[in-house]
Amino acid sequence: MKFKYGIVVPHFNSLEGLTRLLNSLPERSDIQVVIVDDKSAQPPCEETLHAAFPHLALQLFDNDSGTKGAGAARNIALQYIDATYTLFADADDFFTQQAFEQMDEKLAQHDITFFSPISQCDLTGEPSDRHHLYANLVSEYLAKGDEEIRYHFSVPWSKVYLSDFIRRESLYFDAVIASNDVMFSLVAGYKAQSIAVHQNSIYCVTRGQGTLTVNFNPKVTRSRFDVAMRRIDYLSNKQIQTETASLYKLVRDFRAVLGTSELKHLFKLLVQRKITLMPKRTWFYLRNPQQIITKLAKRKQSLSSAKYQV
């Protein structure tokens, strides 16, 4: 391999964010950056990027796959990765200080190495809560050896993949408009022969206005629903013993696109025990109502999603 680290970056209308991301990379000769622009109205200029970041081994490509979305862009970038380790970064996020020094110290040829992320609100610059789920999975693994991290760390960032593992298992992202990374993360977690987990933070995920994570139009919601159904089927077919989706949460999250046929399918999944009626933590709180008060007292106020919608 020519490089030690290869970084895959899908880009869409985020030149300011991309500049911040590239600025967060150290001046090292063993880092490769592959950017794929996803049909932006304002695409990056390769000459400008090379002039601004002459120390980076940087390649820029256009998403000419015929399918729009970060998944298709990432698949294109993977074809050009020539590095021992592969990392994924979104153009509006950034790496933490000393991230690569920490990876130098911690990485040991595991198929996937998980790190605990942090997050930031781009509207205020304050810490966000977007990383909490993934940070908790890291903590649970380190405290109890809980391998739920394999199946619920559903984003590709804040992890380091052995490039040979991605090639060996022919891993790829779904070319869909939303939730393109869910199946990639699930299949990778299931197929990884060895994983490592570290509390160190190498990646900061941001929460900004108008991003896909707060887009709830029917087309985007339908894409998420379809991926959720594929995830349920995969867990069932592989007989993976992990918490699955609940009917309550599926109806709550996807009610805007649920017709009669979709509802019938959900109830069929419930009868087949591929999904549960309620989330596991809901049953816990029903049995331990005093814990609700304790949880609310300790919980920090979360930033409202409405704040991030355009």
Side-chain angles (χ1 to χ4, degrees):
M1 298 293 182
K2 183 177 180 180
F3 299 96
K4 184 174 184 178
Y5 300 110
I7 305 173
V8 168
V9 184
H11 172 270
F12 178 70
N13 289 344
S14 184
L15 290 176
E16 184 176 343
L18 180 61
T19 298
R20 178 177 61 184
L21 170 66
L22 297 178
N23 273 322
S24 72
L25 299 176
E27 294 189 15
R28 292 175 47 157
S29 60
D30 59 353
I31 299 175
Q32 174 192 24
V33 184
V34 182
I35 303 166
V36 177
D37 183 68
D38 189 29
K39 303 177 174 66
S40 294
Q42 294 180 314
C45 171
E46 187 164 14
E47 291 183 1
T48 301
L49 289 177
H50 281 300
F53 303 98
H55 58 283
L56 294 180
L58 188 153
Q59 297 169 277
L60 175 64
F61 301 94
D62 293 325
N63 178 5
D64 55 3
S65 66
T67 303
K68 186 174 170 57
R74 287 172 174 143
N75 289 337
I76 292 170
L78 281 173
Q79 300 174 42
Y80 297 94
I81 290 296
D82 185 21
T84 304
Y85 296 104
T86 297
L87 296 89
F88 297 93
D90 289 340
D92 50 358
D93 299 335
F94 56 93
F95 289 94
T96 61
Q97 290 186 2
Q98 308 303 314
F100 288 84
E101 287 82 355
Q102 292 184 64
M103 286 187 280
D104 288 340
E105 177 186 346
K106 300 294 184 182
L107 294 180
Q109 295 289 309
H110 294 284
D111 288 338
I112 309 175
T113 303
F114 297 81
F115 291 89
S116 186
I118 59 175
S119 60
Q120 173 181 297
C121 170
D122 264 357
L123 300 182
T124 64
E126 298 173 343
S128 170
D129 60 355
R130 192 178 168 194
H131 70 291
H132 286 178
L133 168 63
Y134 310 110
N136 289 341
L137 288 168
V138 168
S139 297
E140 288 295 306
Y141 181 91
L142 293 174
K144 306 174 185 177
D146 189 345
E147 295 219 340
E148 293 282 273
I149 195 170
R150 287 178 176 264
Y151 313 118
H152 297 280
F153 205 116
S154 57
V155 292
W157 37 258
S158 202
K159 306 173 188 174
V160 182
Y161 295 83
L162 200 61
S163 299
D164 283 344
F165 165 63
I166 293 177
R167 297 187 183 97
R168 181 178 74 240
E169 299 298 342
S170 300
L171 299 176
Y172 63 91
F173 290 83
D174 287 337
V176 294
I177 60 172
S179 297
N180 71 86
D181 47 4
V182 169
M183 291 305 298
F184 178 93
S185 298
L186 173 61
V187 175
Y190 173 71
K191 291 189 172 183
Q193 296 176 12
S194 65
I195 66 171
V197 181
H198 299 287
Q199 195 71 60
N200 309 68
S201 296
I202 64 167
Y203 191 85
C204 181
V205 57
T206 67
R207 198 175 187 196
Q209 195 171 47
T211 60
L212 188 61
T213 55
V214 291
N215 187 327
F216 302 106
N217 75 52
K219 190 175 181 181
V220 170
T221 303
R222 181 71 207 194
S223 177
R224 292 190 180 119
F225 176 77
D226 291 342
V227 173
M229 295 302 99
R230 290 183 56 212
R231 184 178 188 278
I232 291 167
D233 285 341
Y234 190 88
L235 291 174
S236 176
N237 293 339
K238 299 297 184 181
Q239 299 182 340
I240 297 172
Q241 300 301 308
T242 187
E243 183 177 4
T244 188
S246 69
L247 178 64
Y248 167 78
K249 191 173 187 301
L250 289 167
V251 172
R252 184 196 68 185
D253 292 349
F254 302 117
R255 60 188 181 277
V257 296
L258 296 182
T260 302
S261 61
E262 287 83 8
L263 287 170
K264 286 182 178 179
H265 182 65
L266 291 181
F267 279 105
K268 181 180 179 181
L269 293 175
L270 181 63
V271 171
Q272 294 172 335
R273 297 187 176 182
K274 293 183 178 181
I275 63 174
T276 59
L277 180 62
M278 301 288 286
K280 183 169 67 176
R281 57 185 168 272
T282 299
W283 294 118
F284 171 80
Y285 288 126
L286 288 175
R287 292 193 298 268
N288 303 274
Q290 73 279 3
Q291 293 292 327
I292 298 176
I293 299 174
T294 303
K295 180 179 177 66
L296 292 175
K298 292 182 177 180
R299 183 180 180 183
K300 294 181 179 180
Q301 185 175 5
S302 175
L303 293 168
S304 171
S305 291
K307 185 174 185 177
Y308 297 93
Q309 297 175 26
V310 176

